[in-house]
Amino acid sequence: MNRNMRFYILGIAGAIGGLLGWQTSNLLGLSFTENLYISEAIIGALIGGLIGFCIGLGEGIMAQSFMVGLKKGAITLLLGAVGGAIALPLAESFFLAIGGEAWSRPFGWAIFGLLIGFATSITGGSQLWKGGLGGLVGGLIGGALLEAARAILSDPAIGKAAGLILLGFSTGVFTAMISFALSRTWLEVTSGKINGMEFILDKFLKQDGPSATIGSSPLKADIAIPDEGIDPQHAILEGHDSYFTLKDISMSGTQLDGKKIDVAKIKNNQRIRVGKTDLVYHEKR
């Protein structure tokens, strides 16, 4: 799976979330209370939560792990719901405050995208601000596309459906795209079940910051790889501001460029082997 395929899968996952949000909101109705803003907060939370959850599940599909998808989906659902609950009333407030100009609404959806981006950073290896920036851009562009679809299509229901699909797609694509474009360090899987999968490591690079655990358990490892030859927690990447050290904590061993190691400093383009899986470490200067 190359990087473009990752963007595509997350975009499609977000689009499915938007479609589900549209259908669910139609089934439940739009008025939950007499207060317009409370009703819109509930609808926004529903739409945002479903888009966020589907993007999280998309990560699980790429990792070929239901537990990864469930773990990431739970966090993106929560923050997506919060973002949607803020975004929709905020968008409507902007819209009314400036006299009904449709161009104002996308700024509310940018807040939704921001929180989705934060969620993907929390569950991945990107720094919080990078994921947030990607989500912000995706939400802003998606919100603009939503309003354009509603304006162009004569049927309001079809316009809303197309708009929410585009909102979900844009949020999924740009959150991943900008995070990867700004990443400094990452691991690329070059063999095994998830060949082509990439894991950003930026938030683990800081000295005295969190370490990244490589393993087969989605609950115990930051970098979860489906491989029966990998221990639940197999190796640890420890950051030192400008480089990583790789520490083996497994029963079967970890290799760096074909040599078994206990602890070693890793350099750009070195190959790591754990179980039956090969990974290449990349860094940008």
Side-chain angles (χ1 to χ4, degrees):
M1 180 189 298
N2 61 33
R3 190 173 292 188
N4 289 335
M5 181 59 69
R6 180 189 187 93
F7 303 153
Y8 174 76
I9 289 174
L10 293 182
I12 293 298
I16 291 171
L19 181 61
L20 292 175
W22 167 72
Q23 187 61 43
T24 306
S25 65
N26 283 345
L27 291 173
L28 296 179
L30 299 177
S31 298
F32 292 90
T33 72
E34 293 182 358
N35 187 302
L36 173 65
Y37 294 106
I38 293 177
S39 291
E40 290 194 333
I42 295 171
I43 291 295
L46 177 68
I47 294 170
L50 285 169
I51 291 175
F53 183 66
C54 288
I55 289 173
L57 286 182
E59 294 276 3
I61 290 170
M62 291 183 294
Q64 296 187 25
S65 170
F66 174 75
M67 288 305 297
V68 168
L70 199 59
K71 175 183 174 182
K72 292 178 180 287
I75 296 174
T76 49
L77 183 153
L78 177 62
L79 289 184
V82 172
I86 295 171
L88 197 53
L90 188 61
E92 195 62 26
S93 295
F94 283 165
F95 178 73
L96 295 175
I98 64 169
E101 295 291 337
W103 60 262
S104 62
R105 282 182 169 145
F107 291 98
W109 287 111
I111 303 300
F112 155 73
L114 176 72
L115 291 183
I116 291 289
F118 284 162
T120 59
S121 295
I122 290 169
T123 58
S126 178
Q127 290 170 305
L128 202 64
W129 73 267
K130 293 176 182 177
L133 178 61
L136 185 76
V137 172
L140 183 63
I141 292 174
L145 293 173
L146 190 160
E147 292 304 317
R150 291 172 66 175
I152 293 170
L153 298 173
S154 57
D155 187 325
I158 299 299
K160 180 184 174 185
L164 288 176
I165 289 170
L166 290 168
L167 173 67
F169 183 83
S170 176
T171 303
V173 168
F174 281 97
T175 298
M177 187 180 294
I178 292 180
S179 291
F180 272 100
L182 298 177
S183 61
R184 287 181 56 195
T185 57
W186 67 98
L187 284 177
E188 178 190 3
V189 180
T190 57
S191 70
K193 294 180 179 178
I194 54 172
N195 184 26
M197 185 75 171
E198 294 176 311
F199 299 93
I200 297 174
L201 302 174
D202 289 10
K203 79 176 184 182
F204 304 109
L205 185 59
K206 186 178 179 181
Q207 177 81 32
D208 300 323
S211 298
T213 304
I214 302 171
S216 59
S217 170
L219 299 178
K220 296 180 179 179
D222 301 291
I223 299 168
I225 301 172
D227 181 338
E228 61 276 8
I230 298 177
D231 291 356
Q233 291 183 308
H234 196 102
I236 296 176
L237 284 164
E238 296 180 344
H240 301 271
D241 289 334
S242 60
Y243 66 93
F244 281 102
T245 55
L246 178 66
K247 180 180 180 181
D248 175 53
I249 56 171
S250 70
M251 298 295 291
S252 56
T254 299
Q255 294 182 14
L256 184 63
D257 283 346
K259 297 180 180 179
K260 204 167 184 178
I261 57 102
D262 291 318
V263 180
K265 178 180 176 180
I266 57 174
K267 300 177 182 178
N268 188 34
N269 291 326
Q270 285 194 296
R271 186 173 296 273
I272 300 167
R273 185 169 181 84
V274 287
K276 300 176 182 178
T277 301
D278 291 307
L279 307 98
V280 174
Y281 170 72
H282 298 282
E283 62 183 31
K284 286 192 297 190
R285 295 293 181 184

